[in-house]
């Protein structure tokens, strides 16, 4: 099988350059890829419904004999209409095709076929419009339906897959060792592949599915295991003294009990254990995670270690840099900032400080994990908004020290099963308390027609000395988006907010430009900040009281909740206005969840329920490879796969070298798919 990944699909019969490009568009490059391109669903042609039992609007497979000549006429509109009747033992049906020149050459009078399609029942009888058909005996099983793209129909994909399967070698290296298959009652690979595409029965299909799901999850877990592989490492880094009390005295406010508990857990981890800390601090937006990170950094630096604090965006990194610099200004701590958009000479200078040990606390973006950054004695690595980083990036940061401690922080509550995979070996602290005095953010859902009223409301808020964020319409995550942000802001400045300071912020701006805009907004020189979702994480301006989000239906609930978390940070009442012209009841209901609750965990649950785990993190925000058939919400198979994974790891001597290599090759392939290169 392995070698089929090296065979270009263009070598398949019937696939030329054009079609190959369409396949490429769907991520299929090799014959091996095609074999792993599983159907999205199946049409069941094995159950034949007698005509008299069919119901209006029901999709069925009937077996009927053509009982009239197949004749075509042109309609007034110029369409070709082909019509004939057919019958079975229980009734008759009229079958109609539009604009299909070849129908009369494919079907013949007096012959019997299977027709698959939707039944229309009227007073005068029943009809099927453009049903699929097949000769009896040719296709009486389950019919695979693949994801399609413009110009590449199901029939073409199906035929290509058939050819691909016929190329499977005589002897296939099964990715699952036989011992594992037997132990967990899973079918072999060849059966699985043949039956996932062309199952004869529902049972065969389920057997194939189960085997392939478990295989994929096992491969995923083995990969994650390789990535972690630092589990429980001895460390010589232990805090000699606890500086938490001193830290408290630097703060302008008193920490909540939940914050204190999280800090204590971290300090204990770094004092009492002989292994390095692996802790996740999870807390809703605004729960004050930064203070926990600051306390940990303070303890580390006072004990003579270096600390690294990594954030997913430059804005957030800069903000952390500023707030920690302010907090530690009299503490004789050298703090520095490293981001991608600094000039090469700036970066060089910052990196020299880190390498020499001159810098105690470094805050930065992904720039921290590039090979050029070296530490003298990294004691603790912290990642903020962990869900924005890949697992591999976390590992990379850790590799900058000798078994340093790790603290990861996240505002996105994740389902437990998924958490087990991503965070597997982490201890968890939950901050389930907001700082005192926070008010609930009132959330409204409106349509575009009353946007003007919403703008008037914003103006009033501004008159009262407050500020507002507007998240502009999302076109796509591309260059066009930026133009959209700028255009949208320009329009606002010309119309609604002509006498008000409006700033624009988007991801492609230079750091210095972003910085300038942010500073003006923080100082109150700008009243409205129009932005793409770059403000989603972290940004903190307590004076802002309105968050208006255009095209709210395009966001996940958790993401909207994060955006909303930008307001309600000061003493004034705050509002979140969701603008959506999408009247779909499901969408409206989904958005209304936000109007009803401010609880991040509740919202995450609703999000998961309504959108499914695949979309949970938005586009690939969990940093895991993309799965083809398994599903993170599939608890049963997750458990089975976990057991398989443990068995495989603990009983290595039961497996041949070939079996181990075959499975490892699969791990590599899954993690490197789509140019991911997580494993390299
Ligand atoms: P998040 O958990 O979303 O990262 P932040 O750490 O940004 O939250 O904190 C949000 C705001 O709350 C900041 O302005 C911070 O100074 C403030 N804050 C944090 N903890 C407390 C507290 N115990 N009392 C009052 N204000 C707090
Ligand atoms: Mg934060």
């Amino acid at each position: 099988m392995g070698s089929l990944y090296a065979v270009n699909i263009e070598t398949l019969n019937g696939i030329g350059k054009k079609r190959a490009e369409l396949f490429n568009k769907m991520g299929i490059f090799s014959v091996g890829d095609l074999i792993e391109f599983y159907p999205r669903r199946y049409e069941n042609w094995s159950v034949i419904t007698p005509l008299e039992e069919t119901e209006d609007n029901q999709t069925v497979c009937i077996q009927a004999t053509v009982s009239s000549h197949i004749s075509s006429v042109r309609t007034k509109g110029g369409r070709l209409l082909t019509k004939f009747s057919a019958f079975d033992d229980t009734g008759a049906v009229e079958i109609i095709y539009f604009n299909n020149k070849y129908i009369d050459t494919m079907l013949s009078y007096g012959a019997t076929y299977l027709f698959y399609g939707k039944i229309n029942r009227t007073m005068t009888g029943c009809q099927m419009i453009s049903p699929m058909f097949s000769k009896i005996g040719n296709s009486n099983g389950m019919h695979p339906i693949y994801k399609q793209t413009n110009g590449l129909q199901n029939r073409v994909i199906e035929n290509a897959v058939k050819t691909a399967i016929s190329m499977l070698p005589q002897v296939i290296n099964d990715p699952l060792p036989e011992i594992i298959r037997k132990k967990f009652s899973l079918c072999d690979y060849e059966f699985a592949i043949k039956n996932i595409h062309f199952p004869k029965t529902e049972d065969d299909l389920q057997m194939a599915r189960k085997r392939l799901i478990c295989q994929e999850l096992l491969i995923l877990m083995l990969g994650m295991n390789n990535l972690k592989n630092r589990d429980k490492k001895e460390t010589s880094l232990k805090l000699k003294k606890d500086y938490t009390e001193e830290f408290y005295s630097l703060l302008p406010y008193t920490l909540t009990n939940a914050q204190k508990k999280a800090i204590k857990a971290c300090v204990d981890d770094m004092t009492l254990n002989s292994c390095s800390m692996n802790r996740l601090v999870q807390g809703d937006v605004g729960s004050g995670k930064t203070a926990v990170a600051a306390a940990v950094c303070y303890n580390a630096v006072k004990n003579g270690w270096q600390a690294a604090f990594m954030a997913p965006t430059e804005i957030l990194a800069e903000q952390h840099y500023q707030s920690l610099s302010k907090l530690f200004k009299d503490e004789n701590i050298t703090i520095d900032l490293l981001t991608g958009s600094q000039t090469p000479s700036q970066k060089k200078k910052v990196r020299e400080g880190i390498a020499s040990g001159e810098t105690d606390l470094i805050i930065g973006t992904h720039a921290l994990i590039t090979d050029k950054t070296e530490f003298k004695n990294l004691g603790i690595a912290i990642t903020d908004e962990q869900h924005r980083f890949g697992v591999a990036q976390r590992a990379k940061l850790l590799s900058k020290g000798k078994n340093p401690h790790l603290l990861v922080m996240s505002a996105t509550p994740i389902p437990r099963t998924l958490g087990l995979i991503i965070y597997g070996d982490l201890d968890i602290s939950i901050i389930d308390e907001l700082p005192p005095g926070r008010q609930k953010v009132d959330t409204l859902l409106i349509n575009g027609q009353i946007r003007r009223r919403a703008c008037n409301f914003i103006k009033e808020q501004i008159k009262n000395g407050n500020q507002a964020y507007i998240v502009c319409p999302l076109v796509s995550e591309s260059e066009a988006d930026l133009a959209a942000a700028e255009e949208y802001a320009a329009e606002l400045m010309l119309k609604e907010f002509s006498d008000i300071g409006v700033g624009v912020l988007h991801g492609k701006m230079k750091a210095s430009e972003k910085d300038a805009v942010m500073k003006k907004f923080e100082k109150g020189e700008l009243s409205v900040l129009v932005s793409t979702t770059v403000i989603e994480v972290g940004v903190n301006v307590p004076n802002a009281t309105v968050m208006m989000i255009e095209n709210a239906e395009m966001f996940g609930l958790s993401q909207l909740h994060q955006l909303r978390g930008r307001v309600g940070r000061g003493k004034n009442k705050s509002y979140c206005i969701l603008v959506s012209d999408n009247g779909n009841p499901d969408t409206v209901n989904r958005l209304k969840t936000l109007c009803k609750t401010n609880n991040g965990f509740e919202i995450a649950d609703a999000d998961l329920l309504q959108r499914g785990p695949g979309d949970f993190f938005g586009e690939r925000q969990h940093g895991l490879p993309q799965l083809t058939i398994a599903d993170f919400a599939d608890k049963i198979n997750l458990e089975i796969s976990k057991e398989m994974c443990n068995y495989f790891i603990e009983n290595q001597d039961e497996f041949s070298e070939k079996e181990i290599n075959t499975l490892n090759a699969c791990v590599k392939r899954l993690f490197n798919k789509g140019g991911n290169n997580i494993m390299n």
Side-chain angles (χ1 to χ4, degrees):
M1 171 80 196
S3 60
L4 289 184
Y5 294 104
V7 181
N8 195 305
I9 42 161
E10 222 179 302
T11 59
L12 290 181
N13 256 347
I15 298 186
K17 208 174 154 66
K18 269 246 163 68
R19 277 191 178 156
E21 274 168 16
L22 293 171
F23 274 107
N24 293 168
K25 227 172 91 184
M26 297 200 291
I28 302 164
F29 297 87
S30 67
V31 173
D33 291 341
L34 187 58
I35 287 177
E36 287 179 357
F37 186 65
Y38 306 132
R40 294 176 101 181
R41 60 186 178 86
Y42 304 82
E43 284 170 353
N44 193 346
W45 291 51
S46 66
V47 179
I48 292 166
T49 311
L51 273 166
E52 75 176 357
E53 285 173 24
T54 60
E55 283 167 25
D56 188 31
N57 253 333
Q58 191 188 10
T59 301
V60 290
C61 185
I62 59 166
Q63 178 174 324
T65 305
V66 179
S67 60
S68 74
H69 285 285
I70 297 168
S71 61
S72 299
V73 293
R74 286 249 166 235
T75 64
K76 276 195 196 125
R79 293 215 287 176
L80 188 70
L81 176 87
T82 308
K83 224 176 181 181
F84 59 89
S85 29
F87 66 93
D88 69 4
D89 294 343
T90 67
V93 60
E94 183 181 43
I95 294 179
I96 298 171
Y97 290 91
F98 290 107
N99 287 339
N100 194 329
K101 284 191 279 208
Y102 306 105
I103 278 295
D104 54 356
T105 64
M106 292 191 277
L107 295 169
S108 41
Y109 175 62
T112 304
Y113 302 91
L114 296 174
F115 293 96
Y116 187 96
K118 203 192 250 175
I119 291 281
N120 286 329
R121 270 200 180 278
T122 59
M123 298 292 282
T124 53
C126 77
Q127 251 183 3
M128 262 181 153
I129 295 176
S130 305
M132 294 195 286
F133 59 89
S134 159
K135 281 208 185 99
I136 306 174
N138 247 8
S139 165
N140 46 4
M142 318 264 285
H143 214 78
I145 306 293
Y146 296 91
K147 180 177 170 205
Q148 290 156 46
T149 181
N150 239 347
L152 198 56
Q153 304 103 332
N154 201 59
R155 188 178 45 82
V156 176
I157 302 174
E158 190 182 329
N159 286 335
V161 171
K162 258 189 203 139
T163 319
I165 288 180
S166 72
M167 290 165 71
L168 281 172
Q170 212 86 80
V171 182
I172 301 173
N173 282 341
D174 196 316
L176 293 185
E178 198 180 343
I179 298 176
I180 296 236
R181 263 165 22 222
K182 288 242 162 74
K183 196 168 161 49
F184 294 90
S185 320
L186 299 171
C187 67
D188 68 55
Y189 190 61
E190 190 178 346
F191 179 93
I193 284 301
K194 288 184 172 161
N195 284 280
I196 197 74
H197 289 288
F198 306 107
K200 282 268 183 306
T201 67
E202 182 70 35
D203 282 354
D204 288 353
L205 171 62
Q206 289 317 327
M207 231 149 62
R209 262 186 74 79
K210 176 155 196 98
R211 133 94 211 206
L212 292 171
I213 288 172
C214 288
Q215 172 181 325
E216 186 165 49
L217 289 174
L218 169 69
I219 290 168
L220 174 73
M221 287 172 186
L222 284 173
M224 296 306 292
N225 210 63
N226 292 350
L227 284 175
K228 277 177 204 156
N229 78 22
R230 61 167 241 126
D231 38 350
K232 303 301 166 205
K233 286 220 171 111
E234 292 274 321
T235 182
S236 50
L237 292 161
K238 277 197 184 190
L239 293 180
K240 296 202 176 63
K241 189 175 167 224
D242 180 357
Y243 288 88
T244 307
E245 286 300 326
E246 281 93 324
F247 172 77
Y248 288 163
S249 68
L250 302 177
L251 290 171
Y253 48 76
T254 313
L255 290 179
T256 62
N257 283 331
Q259 283 171 309
K260 285 184 185 165
K261 243 169 69 188
I263 294 171
K264 179 158 189 327
C266 293
V267 170
D268 283 353
D269 283 351
M270 293 189 288
T271 312
L272 306 175
N273 296 341
S274 57
C275 302
S276 33
M277 163 165 87
N278 275 304
R279 185 165 290 276
L280 165 68
V281 169
Q282 201 171 73
D284 212 345
V285 269
S287 60
K289 294 182 291 295
T290 317
V292 175
V296 169
C297 290
Y298 189 78
N299 268 301
V301 170
K302 286 284 168 182
N303 276 274
W305 308 340
Q306 279 181 303
F309 188 1
M310 184 162 75
T313 65
E314 300 210 348
I315 293 180
L316 192 51
E318 282 157 28
Q319 197 172 287
H320 285 331
Y321 173 69
Q322 270 151 25
S323 65
L324 294 197
S325 297
K326 199 166 138 203
L327 192 62
F328 297 148
K329 65 182 186 307
D330 302 323
E331 290 302 299
N332 196 21
I333 292 176
T334 311
I335 308 186
D336 215 341
L337 176 70
L338 184 66
T339 64
S341 63
Q342 287 168 330
T343 64
S345 66
Q346 267 175 326
K347 277 187 261 197
K348 188 159 171 278
K349 202 159 153 265
V350 177
R351 286 193 168 113
E352 278 166 7
I354 306 174
S356 71
E358 163 100 22
T359 303
D360 301 309
L361 169 55
I362 181 73
I363 297 167
T365 54
H366 297 75
L368 284 178
I369 52 175
T370 57
D371 291 335
K372 286 190 193 139
T373 314
E374 282 170 31
F375 286 78
K376 178 119 186 290
N377 65 330
L378 180 65
I380 168 102
I382 303 177
T383 56
D384 194 13
E385 307 294 345
Q386 170 63 40
H387 63 286
R388 289 289 205 96
F389 291 107
V391 183
Q393 290 167 326
R394 188 171 96 197
K396 192 94 192 263
L397 184 58
L398 287 171
S399 73
K400 302 280 177 191
K402 289 196 194 79
N403 298 335
H405 298 286
L406 169 71
L407 173 64
V408 306
M409 305 201 294
S410 178
T412 307
I414 54 165
R416 205 187 73 92
T417 38
L418 191 49
L420 278 180
I421 296 180
I422 305 181
Y423 298 132
D425 54 349
L426 298 188
D427 300 307
I428 298 182
S429 293
I430 291 181
I431 307 187
D432 52 3
E433 195 180 347
L434 291 181
R438 289 280 165 81
Q439 299 185 36
K440 183 173 168 289
V441 177
D442 275 358
T443 304
L444 327 136
L445 175 62
I446 67 169
N447 60 33
Q449 282 166 356
I450 53 172
R451 184 185 288 105
R452 179 170 287 267
R453 257 166 65 192
C455 286
N456 285 339
F457 174 75
I458 292 176
K459 276 197 227 167
E460 229 162 77
Q461 289 281 312
I462 290 168
K463 244 187 237 151
N464 294 337
N466 292 310
Q467 289 163 283
Y469 296 100
I470 301 181
V471 174
C472 67
L474 195 71
V475 184
S476 73
E477 295 195 12
S478 67
E479 297 286 332
D481 203 22
L482 312 179
E486 272 161 2
E487 223 170 81
Y488 179 80
E491 207 179 305
L492 283 178
M493 283 185 247
L494 284 176
K495 291 183 186 157
E496 262 81 2
F497 299 121
S498 55
D499 49 349
I500 289 172
V502 178
V504 190
L505 200 65
H506 58 70
K508 289 274 158 68
M509 281 162 70
K510 282 202 202 112
S512 57
E513 294 168 346
K514 276 191 264 188
D515 200 40
V517 173
M518 250 349 269
K519 278 218 176 84
K520 277 191 180 168
F521 189 68
E522 271 169 25
K523 282 193 206 147
E525 289 167 22
L526 294 171
S527 295
V528 177
L529 188 62
V530 173
S531 166
T532 56
T533 52
V534 290
I535 54 158
E536 176 197 342
V537 291
V539 171
N540 189 27
V541 178
N543 193 46
T545 54
V546 186
M547 164 65 70
M548 178 157 109
I549 304 165
E550 296 274 0
N551 291 135
E553 74 279 358
M554 313 232 331
F555 299 92
L557 291 185
S558 291
Q559 204 182 0
L560 289 170
H561 179 61
Q562 291 264 335
L563 284 168
R564 175 169 66 179
R566 298 309 113 217
V567 296
R569 293 177 164 245
K571 41 188 190 319
N572 292 329
K573 177 89 197 149
S574 294
Y575 304 87
C576 174
I577 304 171
L578 306 172
V579 187
S580 173
D581 284 322
N582 186 319
N584 180 319
D586 287 344
T587 308
V588 172
N589 260 338
R590 195 166 74 82
L591 293 174
K592 280 198 173 152
T593 312
L594 280 173
C595 305
K596 279 182 247 159
T597 177
N598 262 311
N599 180 318
F601 284 88
E602 248 175 66
I603 288 165
D605 275 353
D607 216 5
L608 185 63
L609 254 172
Q610 287 159 351
R611 297 198 307 159
D615 287 334
F616 187 72
F617 288 97
E619 245 180 72
R620 311 259 309 269
Q621 286 193 352
H622 44 61
L624 291 175
Q626 221 157 17
L627 299 179
T628 50
I629 187 165
D631 178 331
F632 288 125
D634 181 350
K635 286 197 186 118
I636 294 174
N637 287 322
L638 272 166
E639 304 267 314
I640 294 173
S641 309
K642 185 84 206 147
E643 251 181 75
M644 278 164 53
C645 181
N646 291 345
Y647 188 88
F648 182 73
I649 291 171
E650 283 158 21
N651 301 286
Q652 287 274 300
D653 49 339
E654 286 183 20
F655 305 103
S656 72
E657 201 179 316
K658 194 168 161 204
E659 286 174 324
I660 293 175
N661 287 342
T662 305
L663 198 45
N664 280 339
C666 293
V667 172
K668 258 222 148 97
R669 207 169 35 245
L670 177 68
F671 278 75
N672 291 346
K673 226 190 300 195
N676 238 351
N677 288 329
I678 298 182
M679 296 299 261
N680 292 345

